[in-house]
Amino acid sequence: MNYNDNVTVAAEPYEFEFNLSQCALLIIDMQRDFLEPGGFGEILGNDVNQLRRTVSSNQKLLKQWREAGLKVIYTREGHRPDLSDLPLSKKIRGRHTVCVGDLGPMGRILVRGEPGHDIIPELYPLPGEAIIDKCGKSAFYATDLDAILRNYNIKQLIVTGVTTEVCVSSTVRDANDRGYECLVLEDCVGSYFPSFQVAALDMIKAQGGIFGWVAHSDKVINVLKLDCEN
Ligand code: C5J
């Protein structure tokens, strides 16, 4: 594969053209606390299977992306053990009996260094792949993601992860305002709520792609495979 190749994939609202050397795969918050039984997501009453259906699609994409030698960046939502970066408004939101920082079945909920905060084993980062720890929903809020992308000369993002209407959407909207072009892969992003999944993707691609583009991961995998063969 020529690392400087321009490739085009079928997407909505129209085809997404990207340059491999200027594009990173951004995998958002594929953490045990959100995806595994017993984690924070399930404690809140959510069906984690709604998110788990994204795991195999992400695995296939990640394998091809890594084989092509392209950049992968992960994010994790979570807080310092002393919770000094956790706003009270977030801690008490929802009036739940268990909240961020409390002890759950996988350690303290959404606290850095705890088992539940970690990326699921199926998609575990390789040494050298950047991990952005974020305390907010957008991966740009109070992080060095923008600086890292600029230093890597990344201008386009293939976005996957959870949840579609929360951290994925917040990040895509923020990225868009900063001038990054985002392609969101519909089978690699997940919501606990099927109707939110549809609505969030519709909002991204509406009005000529007001926040970005949406496609199935097969489209990206196929162009990477084709490019490898040439
Ligand atoms: C949520 C996230 N849903 N990663 N976090 O609280 O979307």
Side-chain angles (χ1 to χ4, degrees):
M1 166 171 310
N2 184 346
Y3 196 59
N4 287 313
D5 279 355
N6 288 312
V7 292
T8 302
V9 294
E12 291 184 278
Y14 53 88
E15 69 279 2
F16 183 71
E17 294 170 17
F18 60 104
N19 181 284
L20 294 173
S21 66
Q22 297 182 348
C23 189
L25 173 61
L26 184 63
I27 304 179
I28 301 196
D29 299 359
M30 293 295 277
Q31 293 163 254
R32 298 184 60 198
D33 255 332
F34 294 124
L35 284 118
E36 289 191 357
F40 189 40
E42 193 176 78
I43 288 175
L44 296 183
N46 296 303
D47 173 12
V48 293
N49 291 316
Q50 293 292 339
L51 305 192
R52 293 208 63 80
R53 62 165 190 82
T54 67
V55 174
S56 63
S57 304
N58 269 287
Q59 281 179 308
K60 281 184 219 146
L61 174 73
L62 186 57
K63 180 173 179 295
Q64 203 66 43
W65 196 263
R66 282 173 173 159
E67 276 176 16
L70 304 174
K71 280 262 175 298
V72 184
I73 300 177
Y74 287 83
T75 71
R76 294 185 295 209
E77 180 177 349
H79 298 273
R80 293 169 179 259
D82 65 4
L83 304 183
S84 55
D85 58 355
L86 175 65
L88 180 63
S89 59
K90 181 172 176 180
K91 182 154 177 70
I92 63 173
R93 184 72 49 83
R95 298 178 177 171
H96 302 298
T97 45
V98 183
C99 59
V100 176
D102 291 349
L103 197 57
M106 287 191 269
R108 292 179 67 205
I109 291 166
L110 289 184
V111 170
R112 294 176 194 165
E114 299 288 335
H117 174 261
D118 211 353
I119 309 283
I120 56 168
E122 297 92 324
L123 296 171
Y124 212 73
L126 293 179
E129 291 175 341
I131 303 175
I132 307 291
D133 278 316
K134 61 187 183 67
C135 57
K137 302 304 184 196
S138 165
F140 290 92
Y141 174 71
T143 72
D144 50 10
L145 176 60
D146 196 42
I148 291 172
L149 294 176
R150 284 173 197 280
N151 291 332
Y152 285 157
N153 195 30
I154 298 294
K155 298 181 180 351
Q156 297 176 304
L157 299 170
I158 306 288
V159 185
T160 75
V162 300
T163 62
T164 315
E165 77 281 15
V166 185
C167 291
V168 171
S169 288
S170 296
T171 300
V172 167
R173 288 171 181 225
D174 208 340
N176 181 61
D177 282 343
R178 291 163 192 266
Y180 297 101
E181 292 183 323
C182 296
L183 172 65
V184 179
L185 299 182
E186 60 199 9
D187 54 316
C188 295
V189 294
S191 168
Y192 296 119
F193 309 98
S195 63
F196 290 178
Q197 169 80 358
V198 173
L201 294 174
D202 281 350
M203 284 182 211
I204 289 166
K205 65 190 178 190
Q207 301 180 73
I210 195 154
F211 298 121
W213 286 256
V214 176
H216 194 280
S217 66
D218 283 350
K219 300 284 189 300
V220 174
I221 290 171
N222 288 343
V223 292
L224 291 176
K225 277 188 184 157
L226 272 178
D227 219 73
C228 278
E229 285 161 16
N230 294 332

